[in-house]
mmCIF file with all atom_site columns, all heavy atoms in Angstrom:
data_model
loop_
_atom_site.group_PDB
_atom_site.id
_atom_site.type_symbol
_atom_site.label_atom_id
_atom_site.label_alt_id
_atom_site.label_comp_id
_atom_site.label_asym_id
_atom_site.label_entity_id
_atom_site.label_seq_id
_atom_site.pdbx_PDB_ins_code
_atom_site.Cartn_x
_atom_site.Cartn_y
_atom_site.Cartn_z
_atom_site.occupancy
_atom_site.B_iso_or_equiv
_atom_site.pdbx_formal_charge
_atom_site.auth_seq_id
_atom_site.auth_comp_id
_atom_site.auth_asym_id
_atom_site.auth_atom_id
_atom_site.pdbx_PDB_model_num
ATOM 1   N N   . GLU A 1 278 ? -1.899  27.481 13.147 1.00 0.00 ? 1664 GLU A N   1
ATOM 2   C CA  . GLU A 1 278 ? -1.577  28.323 11.993 1.00 0.00 ? 1664 GLU A CA  1
ATOM 3   C C   . GLU A 1 278 ? -1.428  27.481 10.731 1.00 0.00 ? 1664 GLU A C   1
ATOM 4   O O   . GLU A 1 278 ? -1.844  27.894 9.648  1.00 0.00 ? 1664 GLU A O   1
ATOM 5   C CB  . GLU A 1 278 ? -0.298  29.110 12.265 1.00 0.00 ? 1664 GLU A CB  1
ATOM 6   C CG  . GLU A 1 278 ? -0.432  30.150 13.365 1.00 0.00 ? 1664 GLU A CG  1
ATOM 7   C CD  . GLU A 1 278 ? 0.909   30.743 13.735 1.00 0.00 ? 1664 GLU A CD  1
ATOM 8   O OE1 . GLU A 1 278 ? 1.843   29.963 14.018 1.00 0.00 ? 1664 GLU A OE1 1
ATOM 9   O OE2 . GLU A 1 278 ? 1.033   31.981 13.747 1.00 0.00 ? 1664 GLU A OE2 1
ATOM 10  N N   . SER A 1 279 ? -0.812  26.311 10.876 1.00 0.00 ? 1665 SER A N   1
ATOM 11  C CA  . SER A 1 279 ? -0.636  25.432 9.712  1.00 0.00 ? 1665 SER A CA  1
ATOM 12  C C   . SER A 1 279 ? -1.980  24.946 9.190  1.00 0.00 ? 1665 SER A C   1
ATOM 13  O O   . SER A 1 279 ? -2.214  24.909 7.983  1.00 0.00 ? 1665 SER A O   1
ATOM 14  C CB  . SER A 1 279 ? 0.235   24.230 10.094 1.00 0.00 ? 1665 SER A CB  1
ATOM 15  O OG  . SER A 1 279 ? 1.528   24.648 10.476 1.00 0.00 ? 1665 SER A OG  1
ATOM 16  N N   . LEU A 1 280 ? -2.883  24.586 10.123 1.00 0.00 ? 1666 LEU A N   1
ATOM 17  C CA  . LEU A 1 280 ? -4.199  24.126 9.702  1.00 0.00 ? 1666 LEU A CA  1
ATOM 18  C C   . LEU A 1 280 ? -4.997  25.257 9.065  1.00 0.00 ? 1666 LEU A C   1
ATOM 19  O O   . LEU A 1 280 ? -5.798  25.034 8.144  1.00 0.00 ? 1666 LEU A O   1
ATOM 20  C CB  . LEU A 1 280 ? -4.956  23.550 10.896 1.00 0.00 ? 1666 LEU A CB  1
ATOM 21  C CG  . LEU A 1 280 ? -4.404  22.235 11.475 1.00 0.00 ? 1666 LEU A CG  1
ATOM 22  C CD1 . LEU A 1 280 ? -5.187  21.834 12.712 1.00 0.00 ? 1666 LEU A CD1 1
ATOM 23  C CD2 . LEU A 1 280 ? -4.466  21.119 10.441 1.00 0.00 ? 1666 LEU A CD2 1
ATOM 24  N N   . ALA A 1 281 ? -4.787  26.486 9.547  1.00 0.00 ? 1667 ALA A N   1
ATOM 25  C CA  . ALA A 1 281 ? -5.502  27.630 8.980  1.00 0.00 ? 1667 ALA A CA  1
ATOM 26  C C   . ALA A 1 281 ? -5.133  27.841 7.518  1.00 0.00 ? 1667 ALA A C   1
ATOM 27  O O   . ALA A 1 281 ? -5.951  28.312 6.718  1.00 0.00 ? 1667 ALA A O   1
ATOM 28  C CB  . ALA A 1 281 ? -5.203  28.888 9.787  1.00 0.00 ? 1667 ALA A CB  1
ATOM 29  N N   . LEU A 1 282 ? -3.910  27.474 7.147  1.00 0.00 ? 1668 LEU A N   1
ATOM 30  C CA  . LEU A 1 282 ? -3.479  27.631 5.756  1.00 0.00 ? 1668 LEU A CA  1
ATOM 31  C C   . LEU A 1 282 ? -4.252  26.713 4.812  1.00 0.00 ? 1668 LEU A C   1
ATOM 32  O O   . LEU A 1 282 ? -4.277  26.955 3.605  1.00 0.00 ? 1668 LEU A O   1
ATOM 33  C CB  . LEU A 1 282 ? -1.979  27.339 5.638  1.00 0.00 ? 1668 LEU A CB  1
ATOM 34  C CG  . LEU A 1 282 ? -1.037  28.348 6.311  1.00 0.00 ? 1668 LEU A CG  1
ATOM 35  C CD1 . LEU A 1 282 ? 0.395   27.854 6.244  1.00 0.00 ? 1668 LEU A CD1 1
ATOM 36  C CD2 . LEU A 1 282 ? -1.159  29.719 5.657  1.00 0.00 ? 1668 LEU A CD2 1
ATOM 37  N N   . LEU A 1 283 ? -4.870  25.668 5.363  1.00 0.00 ? 1669 LEU A N   1
ATOM 38  C CA  . LEU A 1 283 ? -5.627  24.746 4.517  1.00 0.00 ? 1669 LEU A CA  1
ATOM 39  C C   . LEU A 1 283 ? -6.882  25.393 3.944  1.00 0.00 ? 1669 LEU A C   1
ATOM 40  O O   . LEU A 1 283 ? -7.532  24.816 3.075  1.00 0.00 ? 1669 LEU A O   1
ATOM 41  C CB  . LEU A 1 283 ? -6.009  23.492 5.315  1.00 0.00 ? 1669 LEU A CB  1
ATOM 42  C CG  . LEU A 1 283 ? -4.847  22.631 5.816  1.00 0.00 ? 1669 LEU A CG  1
ATOM 43  C CD1 . LEU A 1 283 ? -5.378  21.448 6.603  1.00 0.00 ? 1669 LEU A CD1 1
ATOM 44  C CD2 . LEU A 1 283 ? -3.968  22.170 4.664  1.00 0.00 ? 1669 LEU A CD2 1
ATOM 45  N N   . LYS A 1 284 ? -7.234  26.586 4.430  1.00 0.00 ? 1670 LYS A N   1
ATOM 46  C CA  . LYS A 1 284 ? -8.387  27.299 3.892  1.00 0.00 ? 1670 LYS A CA  1
ATOM 47  C C   . LYS A 1 284 ? -8.085  27.940 2.538  1.00 0.00 ? 1670 LYS A C   1
ATOM 48  O O   . LYS A 1 284 ? -9.011  28.347 1.828  1.00 0.00 ? 1670 LYS A O   1
ATOM 49  C CB  . LYS A 1 284 ? -8.842  28.377 4.876  1.00 0.00 ? 1670 LYS A CB  1
ATOM 50  C CG  . LYS A 1 284 ? -9.335  27.834 6.210  1.00 0.00 ? 1670 LYS A CG  1
ATOM 51  C CD  . LYS A 1 284 ? -9.738  28.974 7.143  1.00 0.00 ? 1670 LYS A CD  1
ATOM 52  C CE  . LYS A 1 284 ? -10.211 28.440 8.485  1.00 0.00 ? 1670 LYS A CE  1
ATOM 53  N NZ  . LYS A 1 284 ? -10.582 29.538 9.412  1.00 0.00 ? 1670 LYS A NZ  1
ATOM 54  N N   . MET A 1 285 ? -6.808  28.057 2.196  1.00 0.00 ? 1671 MET A N   1
ATOM 55  C CA  . MET A 1 285 ? -6.449  28.636 0.901  1.00 0.00 ? 1671 MET A CA  1
ATOM 56  C C   . MET A 1 285 ? -6.950  27.733 -0.227 1.00 0.00 ? 1671 MET A C   1
ATOM 57  O O   . MET A 1 285 ? -6.916  26.509 -0.097 1.00 0.00 ? 1671 MET A O   1
ATOM 58  C CB  . MET A 1 285 ? -4.933  28.802 0.786  1.00 0.00 ? 1671 MET A CB  1
ATOM 59  C CG  . MET A 1 285 ? -4.300  29.687 1.834  1.00 0.00 ? 1671 MET A CG  1
ATOM 60  S SD  . MET A 1 285 ? -2.529  29.959 1.533  1.00 0.00 ? 1671 MET A SD  1
ATOM 61  C CE  . MET A 1 285 ? -1.923  28.263 1.540  1.00 0.00 ? 1671 MET A CE  1
ATOM 62  N N   . PRO A 1 286 ? -7.419  28.289 -1.342 1.00 0.00 ? 1672 PRO A N   1
ATOM 63  C CA  . PRO A 1 286 ? -7.933  27.444 -2.436 1.00 0.00 ? 1672 PRO A CA  1
ATOM 64  C C   . PRO A 1 286 ? -6.900  26.482 -2.991 1.00 0.00 ? 1672 PRO A C   1
ATOM 65  O O   . PRO A 1 286 ? -7.245  25.375 -3.395 1.00 0.00 ? 1672 PRO A O   1
ATOM 66  C CB  . PRO A 1 286 ? -8.386  28.468 -3.482 1.00 0.00 ? 1672 PRO A CB  1
ATOM 67  C CG  . PRO A 1 286 ? -7.683  29.733 -3.132 1.00 0.00 ? 1672 PRO A CG  1
ATOM 68  C CD  . PRO A 1 286 ? -7.535  29.727 -1.648 1.00 0.00 ? 1672 PRO A CD  1
ATOM 69  N N   . GLN A 1 287 ? -5.625  26.920 -3.024 1.00 0.00 ? 1673 GLN A N   1
ATOM 70  C CA  . GLN A 1 287 ? -4.584  26.020 -3.529 1.00 0.00 ? 1673 GLN A CA  1
ATOM 71  C C   . GLN A 1 287 ? -4.257  24.910 -2.543 1.00 0.00 ? 1673 GLN A C   1
ATOM 72  O O   . GLN A 1 287 ? -3.474  24.012 -2.847 1.00 0.00 ? 1673 GLN A O   1
ATOM 73  C CB  . GLN A 1 287 ? -3.316  26.793 -3.891 1.00 0.00 ? 1673 GLN A CB  1
ATOM 74  C CG  . GLN A 1 287 ? -2.627  27.505 -2.732 1.00 0.00 ? 1673 GLN A CG  1
ATOM 75  C CD  . GLN A 1 287 ? -3.087  28.929 -2.582 1.00 0.00 ? 1673 GLN A CD  1
ATOM 76  O OE1 . GLN A 1 287 ? -4.269  29.220 -2.678 1.00 0.00 ? 1673 GLN A OE1 1
ATOM 77  N NE2 . GLN A 1 287 ? -2.134  29.827 -2.349 1.00 0.00 ? 1673 GLN A NE2 1
ATOM 78  N N   . ALA A 1 288 ? -4.872  24.957 -1.344 1.00 0.00 ? 1674 ALA A N   1
ATOM 79  C CA  . ALA A 1 288 ? -4.682  23.897 -0.349 1.00 0.00 ? 1674 ALA A CA  1
ATOM 80  C C   . ALA A 1 288 ? -5.925  23.027 -0.219 1.00 0.00 ? 1674 ALA A C   1
ATOM 81  O O   . ALA A 1 288 ? -5.840  21.801 -0.288 1.00 0.00 ? 1674 ALA A O   1
ATOM 82  C CB  . ALA A 1 288 ? -4.320  24.509 1.005  1.00 0.00 ? 1674 ALA A CB  1
ATOM 83  N N   . TRP A 1 289 ? -7.102  23.651 -0.007 1.00 0.00 ? 1675 TRP A N   1
ATOM 84  C CA  . TRP A 1 289 ? -8.284  22.823 0.243  1.00 0.00 ? 1675 TRP A CA  1
ATOM 85  C C   . TRP A 1 289 ? -8.768  22.107 -1.005 1.00 0.00 ? 1675 TRP A C   1
ATOM 86  O O   . TRP A 1 289 ? -9.348  21.016 -0.909 1.00 0.00 ? 1675 TRP A O   1
ATOM 87  C CB  . TRP A 1 289 ? -9.406  23.642 0.880  1.00 0.00 ? 1675 TRP A CB  1
ATOM 88  C CG  . TRP A 1 289 ? -10.139 24.626 -0.005 1.00 0.00 ? 1675 TRP A CG  1
ATOM 89  C CD1 . TRP A 1 289 ? -9.950  25.958 -0.081 1.00 0.00 ? 1675 TRP A CD1 1
ATOM 90  C CD2 . TRP A 1 289 ? -11.220 24.331 -0.903 1.00 0.00 ? 1675 TRP A CD2 1
ATOM 91  N NE1 . TRP A 1 289 ? -10.814 26.534 -0.976 1.00 0.00 ? 1675 TRP A NE1 1
ATOM 92  C CE2 . TRP A 1 289 ? -11.610 25.552 -1.499 1.00 0.00 ? 1675 TRP A CE2 1
ATOM 93  C CE3 . TRP A 1 289 ? -11.879 23.162 -1.271 1.00 0.00 ? 1675 TRP A CE3 1
ATOM 94  C CZ2 . TRP A 1 289 ? -12.634 25.636 -2.436 1.00 0.00 ? 1675 TRP A CZ2 1
ATOM 95  C CZ3 . TRP A 1 289 ? -12.901 23.239 -2.208 1.00 0.00 ? 1675 TRP A CZ3 1
ATOM 96  C CH2 . TRP A 1 289 ? -13.276 24.459 -2.781 1.00 0.00 ? 1675 TRP A CH2 1
ATOM 97  N N   . LYS A 1 290 ? -8.542  22.663 -2.177 1.00 0.00 ? 1676 LYS A N   1
ATOM 98  C CA  . LYS A 1 290 ? -8.982  21.983 -3.400 1.00 0.00 ? 1676 LYS A CA  1
ATOM 99  C C   . LYS A 1 290 ? -8.223  20.682 -3.638 1.00 0.00 ? 1676 LYS A C   1
ATOM 100 O O   . LYS A 1 290 ? -8.843  19.623 -3.823 1.00 0.00 ? 1676 LYS A O   1
ATOM 101 C CB  . LYS A 1 290 ? -8.865  22.929 -4.593 1.00 0.00 ? 1676 LYS A CB  1
ATOM 102 C CG  . LYS A 1 290 ? -9.886  24.059 -4.588 1.00 0.00 ? 1676 LYS A CG  1
ATOM 103 C CD  . LYS A 1 290 ? -9.706  24.963 -5.789 1.00 0.00 ? 1676 LYS A CD  1
ATOM 104 C CE  . LYS A 1 290 ? -10.707 26.114 -5.772 1.00 0.00 ? 1676 LYS A CE  1
ATOM 105 N NZ  . LYS A 1 290 ? -10.549 27.024 -6.928 1.00 0.00 ? 1676 LYS A NZ  1
ATOM 106 N N   . PRO A 1 291 ? -6.867  20.710 -3.645 1.00 0.00 ? 1677 PRO A N   1
ATOM 107 C CA  . PRO A 1 291 ? -6.177  19.417 -3.789 1.00 0.00 ? 1677 PRO A CA  1
ATOM 108 C C   . PRO A 1 291 ? -6.413  18.480 -2.610 1.00 0.00 ? 1677 PRO A C   1
ATOM 109 O O   . PRO A 1 291 ? -6.400  17.261 -2.778 1.00 0.00 ? 1677 PRO A O   1
ATOM 110 C CB  . PRO A 1 291 ? -4.698  19.817 -3.904 1.00 0.00 ? 1677 PRO A CB  1
ATOM 111 C CG  . PRO A 1 291 ? -4.604  21.183 -3.338 1.00 0.00 ? 1677 PRO A CG  1
ATOM 112 C CD  . PRO A 1 291 ? -5.921  21.835 -3.640 1.00 0.00 ? 1677 PRO A CD  1
ATOM 113 N N   . LEU A 1 292 ? -6.642  19.053 -1.406 1.00 0.00 ? 1678 LEU A N   1
ATOM 114 C CA  . LEU A 1 292 ? -6.939  18.210 -0.254 1.00 0.00 ? 1678 LEU A CA  1
ATOM 115 C C   . LEU A 1 292 ? -8.232  17.432 -0.486 1.00 0.00 ? 1678 LEU A C   1
ATOM 116 O O   . LEU A 1 292 ? -8.300  16.218 -0.224 1.00 0.00 ? 1678 LEU A O   1
ATOM 117 C CB  . LEU A 1 292 ? -7.062  19.080 0.997  1.00 0.00 ? 1678 LEU A CB  1
ATOM 118 C CG  . LEU A 1 292 ? -7.148  18.353 2.337  1.00 0.00 ? 1678 LEU A CG  1
ATOM 119 C CD1 . LEU A 1 292 ? -5.822  17.694 2.670  1.00 0.00 ? 1678 LEU A CD1 1
ATOM 120 C CD2 . LEU A 1 292 ? -7.548  19.324 3.441  1.00 0.00 ? 1678 LEU A CD2 1
ATOM 121 N N   . PHE A 1 293 ? -9.253  18.116 -0.983 1.00 0.00 ? 1679 PHE A N   1
ATOM 122 C CA  . PHE A 1 293 ? -10.519 17.450 -1.289 1.00 0.00 ? 1679 PHE A CA  1
ATOM 123 C C   . PHE A 1 293 ? -10.337 16.409 -2.393 1.00 0.00 ? 1679 PHE A C   1
ATOM 124 O O   . PHE A 1 293 ? -10.826 15.280 -2.293 1.00 0.00 ? 1679 PHE A O   1
ATOM 125 C CB  . PHE A 1 293 ? -11.552 18.500 -1.712 1.00 0.00 ? 1679 PHE A CB  1
ATOM 126 C CG  . PHE A 1 293 ? -12.793 17.907 -2.326 1.00 0.00 ? 1679 PHE A CG  1
ATOM 127 C CD1 . PHE A 1 293 ? -13.766 17.317 -1.537 1.00 0.00 ? 1679 PHE A CD1 1
ATOM 128 C CD2 . PHE A 1 293 ? -12.984 17.919 -3.704 1.00 0.00 ? 1679 PHE A CD2 1
ATOM 129 C CE1 . PHE A 1 293 ? -14.910 16.766 -2.097 1.00 0.00 ? 1679 PHE A CE1 1
ATOM 130 C CE2 . PHE A 1 293 ? -14.113 17.366 -4.273 1.00 0.00 ? 1679 PHE A CE2 1
ATOM 131 C CZ  . PHE A 1 293 ? -15.080 16.792 -3.471 1.00 0.00 ? 1679 PHE A CZ  1
ATOM 132 N N   . ILE A 1 294 ? -9.640  16.772 -3.455 1.00 0.00 ? 1680 ILE A N   1
ATOM 133 C CA  . ILE A 1 294 ? -9.475  15.869 -4.600 1.00 0.00 ? 1680 ILE A CA  1
ATOM 134 C C   . ILE A 1 294 ? -8.692  14.615 -4.216 1.00 0.00 ? 1680 ILE A C   1
ATOM 135 O O   . ILE A 1 294 ? -9.104  13.484 -4.512 1.00 0.00 ? 1680 ILE A O   1
ATOM 136 C CB  . ILE A 1 294 ? -8.781  16.609 -5.764 1.00 0.00 ? 1680 ILE A CB  1
ATOM 137 C CG1 . ILE A 1 294 ? -9.707  17.697 -6.325 1.00 0.00 ? 1680 ILE A CG1 1
ATOM 138 C CG2 . ILE A 1 294 ? -8.393  15.632 -6.874 1.00 0.00 ? 1680 ILE A CG2 1
ATOM 139 C CD1 . ILE A 1 294 ? -9.027  18.626 -7.322 1.00 0.00 ? 1680 ILE A CD1 1
#
Side-chain angles (χ1 to χ4, degrees):
E1664 293 171 308
S1665 297
L1666 292 176
L1668 292 174
L1669 297 179
K1670 296 179 181 179
M1671 301 185 302
Q1673 63 267 43
W1675 73 260
K1676 289 180 181 179
L1678 190 69
F1679 168 77
I1680 292 171

